[in-house]
Amino acid sequence: QVQLVESGGGLVQAGGSLRLSCAASGAISSINHMAWYRQAPGKQRELAALITRYGTTHYSDSLKGRITISRDNAKTTVYLQMVSLKPEDTGVYYCTYTDRTIWSPRELYWGQGTQVTVSS
């Protein structure tokens, strides 16, 4: 089993910044893909950012330029740096993990999520 624990969410004013962290533990491999999803109130969950086992990154078009995904050298903790936050960035942010060779949204471990609230 894989456990993912997110932290760093909270209340921030529009234009502010937050850094989310997600620590993976349990039956994990350092060869993995980790990603952040977000779910805004009343909306479907969407992929915000992905960092692959090769270190390549992918971002949601709606967030590109305002977020950066990174990870530690052990590849067990992933971060999401968010800047210039907007009220529409409000939502629950989830960390995901897979050690499958090819990343697939259907084969992920999920964290419990961390709430991000951006006030106007």
Side-chain angles (χ1 to χ4, degrees), residues 12 32 42 61 74 85 87 97 103 111-112:
V12 64
N32 60 60
D61 286 342
L85 284 163
Y97 166 98
W103 182 85
Q112 292 297 309

Side-chain angles (χ1 to χ4, degrees), residues 44-104:
Q44 287 190 330
R45 199 173 292 184
E46 63 171 342
L47 177 65
L50 164 68
I51 185 164
T52 72
R53 57 188 291 178
Y54 308 106
T56 55
T57 56
H58 304 273
Y59 297 101
S60 159
D61 286 342
S62 64
L63 290 163
K64 195 177 295 183
R66 299 192 294 117
I67 63 172
T68 304
I69 189 169
S70 61
R71 60 187 173 195
D72 67 346
N73 289 335
K75 298 181 182 178
T76 60
T77 300
V78 66
Y79 306 98
L80 187 68
Q81 178 70 50
M82 304 189 291
V83 300
S84 302
L85 284 163
K86 305 175 182 180
E88 51 264 43
D89 295 323
T90 293
V92 181
Y93 286 69
Y94 298 91
C95 173
T96 68
Y97 166 98
T98 180
D99 56 12
R100 296 285 184 171
T101 301
I102 298 174
W103 182 85
S104 168

